[in-house]
Amino acid sequence: MDRTKYLISLLVFLFSLQAVVARVEYFGIDSQIIDDTNANIKFTIYKARDFSFRFYGNIRNISSNVDCYLDGELIYCRSENETAINIQIVSDIVARAGNTYSFNIQMELKEDVDRVTSLVTLPIGMIIKDEKEIFPSNFRTLSNGRNILVYWELENVSSTQPLGFRVRYQSVQPSPEIFRKFYLLIFILVVALFFVTFYAIKKRKVIIKKIVRVRPEKILVEALDEYERKVYEIVREAGKIKQNEIVSKAGFSKARVSRVLKSLAEKKLVKVEKRGRTNIVEILKK
């Protein structure tokens, strides 16, 4: 009876020891998105002689510092000692829809892991589309000055649960379609500006012509007061007239007529010439 208890206790200890040994200390994922489709992914595993996991995606250009085998979706690596296992692959796990991109990496571990970290480096010129769509939700966003990085850190990850990371991002630069619309708008504005400028120049020429057609003397006459205008009209109709006749026709005093003629002469509308005991007034501008 005691022997049976001892054997059971030994078996429990061995199974417990196997479970402890089967746990991996660290599994790190470093994903660098290199174009619209592909990502360069580096895996780092600590304290494990044997390690295997399933990677759901096309795998190309696999390389490692230890012996690794690829069997469909399964990656199996074996190390001669417990140094770090480094694996690098290229996979087309990036999907594009218009100006939006989706990075989605899915794996299945074959051993429990104490600590898992995942780092995704977005391409230059890309920003996160919506933080609510990042999975898992316990992430941090970082920056190296040129790229935006998304970082996760998980503890006690069980081999019974799937392991995945997802980021949706977009370009900060407008799409080619937006550029085409922008150039079309610029073209329309340039054409519209050309016609507006052409119309304005043409209208300006018409206005200048109208201004030129208006005789300076007409402007001067319109600026005359009622006395000056009446005397000017009398002289204009006569062409040449004696000053005393102007007094008679205008009905003004001699002094007022003399002042008005002096003003009109200064404005170069009439010429007053002394003739004997009277003045001859002659129109200058008709």
Side-chain angles (χ1 to χ4, degrees), residues 97-214:
N99 197 37
T100 302
Y101 301 82
S102 178
F103 170 90
N104 190 6
I105 183 171
Q106 297 293 328
M107 294 164 291
E108 181 183 331
L109 302 178
K110 294 301 181 181
E111 292 89 11
D112 296 341
V113 180
D114 292 337
R115 179 168 168 261
V116 173
T117 65
S118 179
L119 180 68
V120 178
T121 303
L122 304 185
I124 295 174
M126 298 291 178
I127 58 174
I128 295 172
K129 181 176 176 60
D130 187 355
E131 291 191 351
K132 294 180 181 179
E133 296 184 0
I134 297 178
F135 179 83
S137 58
N138 56 331
F139 65 91
R140 284 188 292 160
T141 54
L142 311 170
S143 175
N144 60 10
R146 301 180 65 189
N147 308 77
I148 293 177
L149 300 88
V150 185
Y151 176 76
W152 294 268
E153 186 168 353
L154 309 176
E155 301 288 340
N156 299 318
V157 178
S158 172
S159 59
T160 60
Q161 66 186 59
L163 183 63
F165 303 93
R166 183 180 68 244
V167 181
R168 296 191 68 181
Y169 57 96
Q170 64 185 10
S171 172
V172 295
Q173 299 177 351
S175 65
E177 181 63 25
I178 294 177
F179 272 117
R180 283 192 291 270
K181 292 181 179 179
F182 175 75
Y183 291 140
L184 178 60
L185 178 62
I186 292 297
F187 174 76
I188 293 173
L189 289 176
V190 169
V191 172
L193 181 61
F194 170 78
F195 282 107
V196 169
T197 305
F198 177 78
Y199 174 77
I201 292 174
K202 189 173 181 180
K203 191 171 183 63
R204 182 173 177 271
K205 288 181 178 180
V206 171
I207 293 172
I208 291 173
K209 286 180 180 179
K210 288 182 179 179
I211 293 173
V212 170
R213 287 181 189 146
V214 177

Side-chain angles (χ1 to χ4, degrees), residues 55-121:
F55 181 87
Y56 297 104
N58 294 322
I59 299 174
R60 302 196 304 274
N61 303 329
I62 184 170
S63 61
S64 176
N65 64 332
V66 299
D67 293 332
C68 286
Y69 306 94
L70 186 61
D71 183 11
E73 298 170 341
L74 181 67
I75 300 175
Y76 172 77
C77 296
R78 180 176 179 81
S79 175
E80 296 298 329
N81 50 54
E82 291 187 353
T83 58
I85 298 174
N86 298 311
I87 309 167
Q88 182 170 326
I89 65 171
V90 174
S91 179
D92 55 351
I93 56 174
V94 179
R96 178 178 181 180
N99 197 37
T100 302
Y101 301 82
S102 178
F103 170 90
N104 190 6
I105 183 171
Q106 297 293 328
M107 294 164 291
E108 181 183 331
L109 302 178
K110 294 301 181 181
E111 292 89 11
D112 296 341
V113 180
D114 292 337
R115 179 168 168 261
V116 173
T117 65
S118 179
L119 180 68
V120 178
T121 303

